[in-house]
């Protein structure tokens, strides 16, 4: 194993991942994900695209001052983007400006409306400007897999000459085939004269389900920097999943070669679970590495084989990715210390006051049941992540419904010290309650998605409702938890409203 086999990991969950439709994370949530990523051992966190929104600018700034690993900020080859990103990165320990421009004929003609000579000149100027502001500059070719390879060589050479220390090619639309992409990487490394002065990277999308295969093919052909997201979340079909590519490298060293990286594989499961929870994008049960079924064996033949030797049907152990055994271990006699220990094993490291709140909620629940499961603990704790300022707080609700009749709900919310009540009719109690909330807060709030999950089993199961509510052209996620599903539903809706209000998307639509 030589140092030249070290693969640098840039995680873009907070930038490309956050571009997943329906995800909008607040600052607190982004910071929590950034801390998880740092503990996981990624080299760089791409924290946002500061020129596109104030929220991204603030997130890059806050993350820059909270982590020690590299922090990258994305920018177009546009002076104002570069200045804004550089400003946001000021407090970073290892700041990186990540510039990109499209290099494919279709993008240059229809999107940029520039000739290839103009794009080349833009790369030279922009990378030089970035380099004057930040020592570490990465340059990416957008839609590289549909670009002319010879032109890519010219672009990469120009970017390296102007100071880029990492050059990256993106399979932006997930079009490449593994063999072809590997061959492109090889060609570019062999035909870009100054390539030895830079690290070669790739950024793959999953439109054909090949992002991981393409990334592995790129590594085998000389790429030493890869861009990935947790659970593969991202635009359209998503990005290359960090956990899959890392476990591919680790499980198939025999086939791929011995590459090193900084990722602590035992933290993969908990990081995936936290990102799924915070983004409200559940991990599919059959998802490789981190899905619930990834290590379960249903058929008798498989179970028998597993009992004789786990390697018959498992190519890696659940422990190697940190998948905990799902046992019920906490109950009403458990103390704060045991509770804290349990949370740590699940990837939660809470501040003292957060721990106090979660422990109080745990005790309340423990008084009502014999055992508390991991899922319930997760729900109790992650409830805090869903917290946004209580601009409106649910104080009371009541509903009536009967078959063949419209339902009626009346809701009381606390707002700026005043109790506000409204009643409304609806197709069912949830619909009626949502109309009553909308009347109180004013304006149009459209329910775009509603999901309910029983967090526990039994009669007093906790039900967690996740909603996506449309306000203007923005979607807001809200969560609510209660053993009464109508209450969970109302709480989730009010949570989404508060999230919109906290962002300034209240009565006056942006
Ligand atoms: O997919 C893409 O092309 C990107 C670039 C900005 C790297 O995300
Ligand atoms: Zn991308």
């Amino acid at each position: 194993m030589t140092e030249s086999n070290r693969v640098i990991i840039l995680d873009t969950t907070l930038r490309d991942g956050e571009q997943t439709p329906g995800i909008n994370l607040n600052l607190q949530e982004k910071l929590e994900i950034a801390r998880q990523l740092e503990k996981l051992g990624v080299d760089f966190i791409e924290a946002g695209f500061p020129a596109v929104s104030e929220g991204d600018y603030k997130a890059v700034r806050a993350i820059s001052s909270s982590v020690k690993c590299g922090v990258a900020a994305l920018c177009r080859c546009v002076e104002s983007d570069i200045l804004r990103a550089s400003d946001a990165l000021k407090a970073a320990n290892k700041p990186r400006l990540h510039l990109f421009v499209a290099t494919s004929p279709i993008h240059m003609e229809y999107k940029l409306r520039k000739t290839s000579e103009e794009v080349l000149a833009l790369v030279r100027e922009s990378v030089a400007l970035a380099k004057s502001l930040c020592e570490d500059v990465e340059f990416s070719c957008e839609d590289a897999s549909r670009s002319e390879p010879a032109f890519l060589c010219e672009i990469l050479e120009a970017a390296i000459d102007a100071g880029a220390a990492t050059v990256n090619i993106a399979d932006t639309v997930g079009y490449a085939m593994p063999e072809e992409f590997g061959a492109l990487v090889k060609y570019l490394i062999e035909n870009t004269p100054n390539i030895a002065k830079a690290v070669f990277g790739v950024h793959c999308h999953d439109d054909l389900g090949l992002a991981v295969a393409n990334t592995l093919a790129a590594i085998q052909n000389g790429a030493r920097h890869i861009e990935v997201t947790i659970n593969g979340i991202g635009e359209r079909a998503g990005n290359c999943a960090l956990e899959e590519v890392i476990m591919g490298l680790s499980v198939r060293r025999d086939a791929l070669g011995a590459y090193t990286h900084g990722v602590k594989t035992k933290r993969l499961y908990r990081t995936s679970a936290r990102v799924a929870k915070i983004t409200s994008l559940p991990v599919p049960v059959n998802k490789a590495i981190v899905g619930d079924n990834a290590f379960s064996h249903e058929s008798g033949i498989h179970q028998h084989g597993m009992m004789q030797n786990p390697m018959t049907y498992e190519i890696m152990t659940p422990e190697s990715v940190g998948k905990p055994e799902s046992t019920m271990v906490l109950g009403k006699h458990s103390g704060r210390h045991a509770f804290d220990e349990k949370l740590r094993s699940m990837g939660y490291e809470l501040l003292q006051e957060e721990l106090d709140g979660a422990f109080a909620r745990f005790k309340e629940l423990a008084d009502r049941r014999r055992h508390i499961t991991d899922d319930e603990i997760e729900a109790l704790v992650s409830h805090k992540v869903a917290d946004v300022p209580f601009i409106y707080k649910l104080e009371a609700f009541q509903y009536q419904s009967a078959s063949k009749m419209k339902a009626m709900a009346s809701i009381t919310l606390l707002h700026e010290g005043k109790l506000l009540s409204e009643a409304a009719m609806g197709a069912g109690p949830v619909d009626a309650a949502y109309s009553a909330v909308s009347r109180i807060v004013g304006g149009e709030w459209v329910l775009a998605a509603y999901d309910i999950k029983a967090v526990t089993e039994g009669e007093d199961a906790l039900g967690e409702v996740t909603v996506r509510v449309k306000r203007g052209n923005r979607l807001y996620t809200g969560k609510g938890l209660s053993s009464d599903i109508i209450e969970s539903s109302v709480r989730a809706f009010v949570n989404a409203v508060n999230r919109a209000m906290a962002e300034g998307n209240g009565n006056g639509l942006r």
Side-chain angles (χ1 to χ4, degrees):
M1 272 186 291
T2 64
E3 198 46 32
S4 66
N5 276 350
R6 171 81 160 72
V7 178
I8 296 164
I9 312 293
L10 179 144
D11 181 283
T12 184
T13 304
L14 291 172
R15 199 277 301 168
D16 229 346
E18 219 240 349
Q19 288 173 220
T20 305
I23 294 190
N24 53 56
L25 304 171
N26 63 31
L27 188 59
Q28 185 204 347
E29 291 164 338
K30 288 183 185 178
L31 275 168
E32 173 164 8
I33 292 181
R35 292 194 187 104
Q36 292 284 344
L37 291 171
E38 179 168 47
K39 285 187 205 146
L40 180 65
V42 305
D43 299 287
F44 287 91
I45 294 171
E46 186 159 68
F49 192 166
V52 300
S53 80
E54 187 62 18
D56 269 34
Y57 172 79
K58 286 187 180 149
V60 172
R61 236 181 31 180
I63 292 169
S64 293
S65 44
S66 334
V67 297
K68 289 276 169 285
C69 64
V71 178
L74 189 69
C75 18
R76 289 168 298 181
C77 288
V78 170
E79 186 179 336
S80 53
D81 278 31
I82 298 169
L83 296 176
R84 187 89 173 132
S86 145
D87 189 49
L89 286 169
K90 264 193 198 129
N93 188 33
K94 290 188 203 152
R96 165 177 287 193
L97 285 173
H98 180 188
L99 276 59
F100 75 98
V101 76
T103 49
S104 62
I106 184 170
H107 276 236
M108 290 192 293
E109 182 178 347
Y110 293 98
K111 192 182 80 175
L112 298 178
R113 300 196 184 280
K114 286 193 192 303
T115 62
S116 44
E117 289 73 26
E118 286 169 331
V119 170
L120 198 54
L122 188 63
V123 171
R124 283 203 187 93
E125 275 164 37
S126 311
V127 174
L129 170 64
K131 186 73 179 180
S132 72
L133 298 166
C134 182
E135 187 47 37
D136 184 0
V137 176
E138 173 185 346
F139 172 77
S140 288
C141 299
E142 188 188 13
D143 204 18
S145 47
R146 295 192 297 169
S147 303
E148 287 292 332
F151 180 55
L152 286 176
C153 290
E154 282 185 68
I155 290 273
L156 298 184
E157 184 182 6
I160 297 168
D161 264 350
T166 299
V167 285
N168 184 51
I169 60 164
D171 182 23
T172 304
V173 289
Y175 175 75
M177 290 286 133
E179 223 172 291
E180 175 189 51
F181 197 61
L184 177 64
V185 170
K186 186 166 188 287
Y187 170 87
L188 296 175
I189 291 177
E190 285 173 359
N191 292 283
T192 303
N194 52 2
I195 199 72
K197 293 191 194 154
V199 176
F200 194 96
V202 293
H203 174 111
C204 296
H205 279 267
D206 208 31
D207 299 64
L208 292 171
L210 292 169
V212 172
N214 285 334
T215 303
L216 290 172
I219 293 172
Q220 285 193 281
N221 283 281
R224 292 294 178 269
H225 165 103
I226 60 171
E227 304 197 344
V228 291
T229 61
I230 300 294
N231 299 334
I233 63 172
E235 286 260 13
R236 305 181 312 279
N239 288 55
C240 174
L242 179 149
E243 61 282 0
E244 294 181 20
V245 79
I246 290 294
M247 290 316 287
L249 289 176
S250 135
V251 172
R252 292 310 310 273
R253 275 168 171 253
D254 57 332
L256 301 173
Y259 297 101
T260 62
H261 52 75
V263 172
K264 299 176 185 71
T265 64
K266 289 194 171 184
R267 293 194 72 97
L268 286 173
Y269 186 82
R270 69 181 81 171
T271 311
S272 153
R274 294 297 300 123
V275 168
K277 200 79 187 170
I278 296 170
T279 57
S280 300
L281 276 187
V283 176
V285 288
N286 62 333
K287 162 97 176 53
I289 318 295
V290 289
D292 271 358
N293 292 351
F295 295 95
S296 44
H297 304 274
E298 177 76 20
S299 88
I301 295 176
H302 287 206
Q303 286 172 351
H304 178 72
M306 285 290 295
M307 279 187 266
Q308 305 307 311
N309 178 348
M311 295 305 275
T312 50
Y313 286 102
E314 270 181 9
I315 58 171
M316 63 197 128
T317 61
E319 298 81 59
S320 65
V321 300
K323 185 169 164 60
E325 292 200 6
S326 55
T327 45
M328 297 188 292
V329 286
L330 293 184
K332 72 174 183 181
H333 300 298
S334 307
R336 179 185 299 263
H337 184 67
F339 182 68
D340 189 21
E341 280 296 299
K342 179 73 189 168
L343 289 179
R344 283 174 191 278
S345 79
M346 294 167 76
Y348 291 94
E349 277 151 53
L350 303 190
L351 300 173
Q352 195 53 47
E353 64 268 26
E354 293 169 343
L355 182 65
D356 291 347
F359 187 65
R361 291 197 290 276
F362 162 73
K363 278 295 191 193
E364 214 178 276
L365 184 65
D367 273 344
R368 288 190 275 130
R369 58 177 72 246
R370 268 188 328 141
H371 295 295
I372 311 286
T373 64
D374 287 3
D375 276 352
E376 284 172 313
I377 292 169
E378 177 107 55
L380 289 173
V381 178
S382 67
H383 206 48
K384 102 183 151 59
V385 176
D387 283 352
V388 287
F390 276 125
I391 296 170
Y392 288 93
K393 185 166 182 283
L394 178 66
E395 281 295 306
F397 73 100
Q398 229 186 354
Y399 63 89
Q400 276 174 0
S401 73
S403 57
K404 297 189 185 153
M405 277 179 66
K406 284 204 146 203
M408 201 281 291
S410 71
I411 301 283
T412 301
L413 302 181
L414 180 67
H415 178 59
E416 294 175 348
K418 288 197 202 108
L419 290 175
L420 308 172
S421 302
E422 279 289 351
M425 312 278 273
V430 173
D431 185 39
Y434 286 2
S435 297
V437 173
S438 301
R439 278 187 190 170
I440 296 174
V441 302
E444 202 188 345
W445 302 84
V446 179
L447 181 66
Y450 175 95
D451 184 58
I452 183 157
K453 184 174 131 207
V455 177
T456 53
E457 288 167 13
E459 284 161 10
D460 57 349
L462 284 178
E464 185 181 62
V465 170
T466 304
V467 293
R468 291 196 208 283
V469 177
K470 200 157 186 214
R471 172 76 170 163
N473 56 6
R474 297 267 287 154
L475 276 173
Y476 295 92
T477 302
K479 282 178 184 293
L481 184 73
S482 168
S483 50
D484 177 315
I485 58 166
I486 308 295
E487 183 177 337
S488 309
S489 306
V490 180
R491 287 192 182 284
F493 194 82
V494 174
N495 184 241
V497 167
N498 282 334
R499 192 176 282 261
M501 297 271 175
E503 248 194 51
N505 193 2
N507 293 326
L509 284 182
R510 290 188 309 174

